[in-house]
Amino acid sequence: MLYGYAGKMLFIDLTTGEIEEKETPKELAEDFIGGYGFGAKILYDMMKPGTDPLGPDSVLGFITGPTSATKAWFGGRYTVVNKSPITGGWNDANSGGFFGPELKKAGYDALFIKGISPKPVYIYINDGKVEIRDASHLWGMDTKKVWEALKEETNEPRLRVSAIGPAGERVSLISCPINDGHRAPARGGTGPIMGSKKLKAIAVRGTQNIPVANPEKVLEINKKVTEAMKQSELAQAFGAYGTGVGTPASALNGDSPVKNWGGVGVVDFGEEKAEKMGSIALDRYKTKKYNCASCPLGCGAEYEVNDGRWPLGPTERPEYETAAAFGSTLLCGEPDAMLKCNEICNTYGFDTISAGMTIAWAMECYERGILTKEDLDGIELTWGNGEAIVNIMQKMADGEGCGAILCHGSQYAAKYWNKGEEYLQTASGIELPMHDPRHSPGLARTYKFDPTPGRHVKGGIGGVQMLEPIKEENYIFDGTGPADLGMTLFVEVLNASSMCYFSTLCAPPETVYEYIAAITGMNFDQETAFNTGLRIFMMRYAFNLREGIKPKDMTLTKRAVGEPPLEAGPLKGYSVDVEKLGRNFFKEAGIDFDSGLPDKALLEKLGGLDEVIKDIYGEDK
Amino acid sequence: MVIKLKYMGVIHDKMPDVLDLEEGTNVKTLKTILINMSDEELKPILSNASFIVNNMNANDDTVLNDNDKVLVLTPLGGG
């Protein structure tokens, strides 16, 4: 018995309609844990280099991990993996809610989909029974309505659904599926893969129990985590107000980007606007706390908004990333506009970070006279103009006029209009998330050089710096490799296990390893964790390398590293030597920065990477 | 000398917005004063807070002056 796993994986070809069930191999579980560990290995094996991400040979994965659907706290996430249509390289994005555990309880650790259906379809999985069903009647429906429609159609009120909205149907490059109405594996172009496959939704219902090697130990670890959570002020604050509790402080202390990464919070945005966009102020709309599956913290909340220019009725508390992307980044201190954009993104299926950042790019281009009123269908997209922001967002959602261009993200729009490229704020083409490397310098390495670029949920020293006041020693770039690699590999294991990043707010790192050991029965000590994390990292890295993407090819726009430095505010004068951080990191990881080649002996020592060694070094390994 | 204080995040509404301090007081001393007068649950938050004085980042050694405006911010990197 494979403890901690459903024991099966699904492989579906939407061109032929073939559904194949395979056992989850023990070696795969031991070597890659789950999540994007599984995903990177399987997509590497299934996809050839050069595959069109939007073509029939492109594979899309929905993957759980060993902590999912067990009693382990924070174990409720699932990961979507694919080749990014934006970067042309590896992509993964994860999401909370209840969809992941339900997929596993329905009998499957993972689901991999290739091919293109001739007509819209959805995949229905109910306790081991799998069908590809017609979705013609659901095409055009928003993500919340499709969830309700499918619950009724299947007569399963506890059905969980991950669905694209109209944005994904139009193959918008910054679209994404939404599960549970408002949770999103959003980043890097997950939605366009579903849209290109004519896959409207995956609907799951499961009641199976997952075998756990040492259930008493899991409960014992839970008690420890609960106690630690009570002692963590950060966890208490997130539990009370969600991630948006930090929005005002971040907007002013330099953590949040301001004015398309060109401004200064205390100067350009100000305290009044910053405070309005935080969840302490916004929680006047709160009706109910929301916890994802197996989460003792509960950073989510349901809102009821019946005032302002856009009375939305029931909606959700925006995450910090959303509040900053539609707030300080646009100099917008109008919370009703931000709440409306959040709702549009959730219903039409957009990545809120990329959507906000795309509007920020267009806004700066408009203010500088690069984009004209005519380009923007008559909309005066001036800094902080909430009504204009909502109008542009709605056009993106409807794929209408300039929205049909902007819905593919800022990089696409700059190429389409052939102007404004110098104002993009991206990592390898992906819009940057809402934590500024000038405040937390280690983030520059993570954003630029992680195989999944431009992410705030990947590891590295920046994740720790983000939680500290600005420190001069963080701007000394010598000797960062060991800590940067160590923290990266910890997050590799965390993400692959399907645990939430916020578990780190209230539990020491070894808790993740303890959960994995208790659930799977594997020996999972610090050394195993390091090697497993590095193996997973290498697999993602190798996917890019096989596509011809080496560290030197990865890009990060200049404002994010203080080139030139800001001239005012708390980050005045700071810049980040991201190349040095990258060289330190790759040297520690056993990868030659210039050639991009990983050390052959290291790959052999790690094991489980035979195909990678063969592709890089030939048959005679 | 008198300084003005403004707080963001969970410190909000629980702390003084004006303080009369001795000449030459630095941020480290101000932090200690605030921690000593705060509720128990705010002490760890204040000890890890960012201090921005007149729109510029301040460290423990930054000396405060009359009429300085001090922003006390909780570093809470949300996701």
Side-chain angles (χ1 to χ4, degrees):
Chain A
M1 179 183 287
L2 199 54
Y3 287 112
Y5 296 87
K8 286 180 286 185
M9 300 190 291
L10 268 179
F11 294 81
I12 295 178
D13 187 332
L14 291 176
T15 304
T16 63
E18 190 183 349
I19 298 169
E20 190 183 2
E21 197 176 276
K22 292 182 184 174
E23 273 190 22
T24 303
K26 187 166 179 280
E27 305 74 48
L28 184 71
E30 286 174 349
D31 288 346
F32 294 99
I33 308 175
Y36 59 65
F38 276 22
K41 169 64 178 158
I42 287 171
L43 262 60
Y44 191 92
D45 290 347
M46 285 182 74
M47 288 172 74
K48 290 181 181 159
T51 298
D52 176 3
L54 304 175
D57 296 328
S58 180
V59 181
L60 176 70
F62 289 72
I63 314 160
T64 68
T67 62
S68 179
T70 71
K71 289 188 172 159
W73 288 141
F74 294 104
R77 298 188 78 81
Y78 75 102
T79 305
V80 175
V81 298
N82 60 288
K83 180 176 176 180
S84 170
I86 302 167
T87 67
W90 173 255
N91 187 57
D92 59 78
N94 69 57
S95 176
F98 292 82
F99 176 86
E102 197 76 16
L103 171 64
K104 197 168 165 188
K105 286 190 286 180
Y108 300 101
D109 294 309
L111 162 63
F112 295 95
I113 304 148
K114 67 173 183 176
I116 291 179
S117 171
K119 62 176 184 182
V121 291
Y122 74 95
I123 294 169
Y124 180 48
I125 304 171
N126 192 332
D127 268 337
K129 191 180 168 201
V130 186
E131 295 172 58
I132 302 169
R133 290 185 168 185
D134 180 42
S136 302
H137 58 301
L138 305 171
W139 208 246
M141 212 177 261
D142 78 40
T143 64
K144 293 184 181 181
K145 285 183 183 144
V146 79
W147 185 22
E148 291 308 314
L150 283 173
K151 278 197 269 192
E152 195 173 325
E153 183 171 316
T154 59
N155 198 26
E156 287 285 0
R158 302 186 72 177
L159 191 76
R160 299 293 172 178
V161 169
S162 186
I164 53 169
E169 292 173 13
R170 274 193 291 277
V171 196
S172 152
L173 294 180
I174 59 168
S175 67
C176 61
I178 301 285
N179 59 278
D180 299 283
H182 55 98
R183 297 280 145 178
R187 308 232 60 209
T190 50
I193 311 295
M194 285 181 77
S196 67
K197 293 186 178 310
K198 294 274 193 295
L199 176 61
K200 177 68 181 175
I202 299 161
V204 293
R205 176 74 185 113
T207 58
Q208 299 175 23
N209 287 323
I210 302 303
V212 170
N214 191 343
E216 291 78 20
K217 180 71 181 173
V218 173
L219 296 179
E220 194 184 302
I221 303 166
N222 283 355
K223 271 189 194 165
K224 199 169 73 175
V225 174
T226 307
E227 281 309 307
M229 201 170 79
K230 285 180 195 163
Q231 305 304 317
S232 164
E233 297 301 330
L234 205 53
Q236 296 298 316
F238 272 30
Y241 299 106
T243 57
V245 67
T247 303
S250 287
L252 302 172
N253 71 10
D255 177 35
S256 305
V258 174
K259 202 180 180 187
N260 196 31
W261 294 72
V264 175
V266 285
V267 176
D268 298 302
F269 197 49
E271 295 154 26
E272 194 186 334
K273 284 183 180 175
E275 202 152 23
K276 276 195 218 170
M277 302 302 267
S279 53
I280 291 179
L282 290 171
D283 267 10
R284 64 183 180 275
Y285 298 120
K286 183 178 168 182
T287 54
K288 198 177 168 188
K289 188 174 167 68
Y290 180 92
N291 296 54
C292 294
S294 306
C295 178
L297 184 73
C299 70
E302 294 175 14
Y303 276 8
E304 175 89 25
V305 178
N306 293 318
D307 59 5
R309 288 165 292 179
W310 298 279
L312 303 166
T315 186
E316 295 83 28
R317 178 203 271 156
E319 298 286 345
Y320 160 76
E321 293 284 328
T322 306
F326 287 100
S328 60
T329 309
L330 304 170
L331 294 189
C332 180
E334 301 171 23
D336 60 345
M338 184 266 287
L339 289 162
K340 174 66 176 172
C341 288
N342 185 50
E343 180 68 10
I344 293 172
C345 288
N346 283 345
T347 49
Y348 285 75
F350 276 108
D351 170 5
T352 55
I353 299 172
S354 282
M357 279 299 302
T358 296
I359 296 173
W361 168 81
M363 197 170 252
E364 177 157 12
C365 288
Y366 178 77
E367 287 276 10
R368 289 180 180 276
I370 294 165
L371 288 180
T372 64
K373 203 168 160 181
E374 288 68 41
D375 287 327
L376 300 176
D377 305 334
I379 295 173
E380 294 184 35
L381 194 58
T382 49
W383 290 118
N385 182 343
E387 194 162 338
I389 292 164
V390 168
N391 287 341
I392 288 282
M393 189 66 243
Q394 190 62 57
K395 279 180 172 288
M396 289 163 67
D398 293 332
E400 181 212 319
C402 66
I405 300 153
L406 292 167
C407 76
H408 295 303
S410 54
Q411 179 179 252
Y412 178 96
K415 278 186 186 158
Y416 180 89
W417 277 310
N418 195 25
K419 50 191 178 184
E421 193 182 4
E422 63 273 37
Y423 299 108
L424 293 173
Q425 310 304 329
T426 54
S428 293
I430 305 274
E431 289 78 14
L432 293 174
M434 298 293 108
H435 295 288
D436 194 325
R438 288 168 293 193
H439 176 280
S440 314
L443 291 175
R445 197 283 303 160
T446 307
Y447 289 174
K448 182 169 182 176
F449 291 119
D450 191 274
T452 318
R455 299 306 158 85
H456 61 291
V457 287
K458 286 287 189 281
I461 51 176
V464 175
Q465 294 165 345
M466 196 197 297
L467 301 174
E468 301 171 334
I470 295 165
K471 286 182 181 169
E472 290 299 326
E473 68 237 42
N474 291 344
Y475 300 86
I476 298 166
F477 304 108
D478 295 319
T480 54
D484 204 11
L485 180 68
M487 291 179 200
T488 299
L489 301 187
F490 161 69
V491 175
E492 293 293 273
V493 172
L494 177 92
N495 283 337
S497 77
S498 70
M499 284 185 71
C500 177
Y501 197 92
F502 291 156
S503 63
T504 60
L505 296 176
C506 48
E510 60 270 20
T511 309
V512 181
Y513 314 151
E514 289 169 10
Y515 271 135
I516 294 172
I519 290 166
T520 64
M522 293 180 213
N523 171 31
F524 209 86
D525 56 18
Q526 293 274 356
E527 190 184 351
T528 310
F530 186 92
N531 288 335
T532 308
L534 188 53
R535 188 182 300 114
I536 293 169
F537 180 90
M538 284 294 186
M539 204 72 238
R540 293 193 295 128
Y541 178 84
F543 188 95
N544 283 347
L545 192 61
R546 197 175 60 168
E547 297 289 344
I549 302 168
K550 297 173 183 169
K552 289 180 93 171
D553 302 315
M554 304 189 88
T555 62
L556 179 64
T557 43
K558 289 182 175 177
R559 280 182 186 167
V561 289
E563 292 179 19
L566 289 169
E567 293 176 354
L571 300 177
K572 181 182 173 182
Y574 287 118
S575 57
V576 183
D577 189 345
V578 65
E579 171 145 341
K580 188 160 194 179
L581 289 173
R583 285 184 179 276
N584 294 346
F585 175 83
F586 284 111
K587 187 176 177 192
E588 195 66 25
I591 294 169
D592 182 76
F593 184 88
D594 294 304
S595 69
L597 293 178
D599 181 70
K600 188 179 174 187
L602 174 63
L603 297 180
E604 287 170 345
K605 179 181 153 245
L606 289 172
L609 297 165
D610 289 353
E611 292 304 312
V612 172
I613 296 169
K614 194 169 79 181
D615 286 342
I616 297 173
Y617 292 104
E619 289 287 348
D620 182 21
K621 67 185 180 89
Chain B
M1 66 175 182
V2 173
I3 61 159
K4 290 175 191 159
L5 291 135
K6 171 97 181 173
Y7 312 85
M8 292 278 163
V10 289
I11 310 173
H12 206 69
D13 289 343
K14 295 187 178 176
M15 299 295 290
D17 50 12
V18 176
L19 271 180
D20 197 347
L21 302 171
E22 282 180 30
E23 294 292 332
T25 301
N26 63 16
V27 166
K28 188 177 182 181
T29 306
L30 170 64
K31 199 188 289 188
T32 305
I33 292 168
L34 292 174
I35 289 170
N36 287 340
M37 68 193 335
S38 73
D39 293 345
E40 207 53 41
E41 76 267 16
L42 287 183
K43 293 184 193 301
I45 295 173
L46 282 164
S47 67
N48 193 37
S50 298
F51 286 73
I52 292 178
V53 180
N54 302 331
N55 287 349
M56 293 297 289
N57 190 49
N59 58 35
D60 282 355
D61 299 330
T62 302
V63 175
L64 298 166
N65 294 298
D66 194 32
N67 273 326
D68 274 355
K69 185 182 160 191
V70 181
L71 258 174
V72 185
L73 305 173
T74 51
L76 286 170

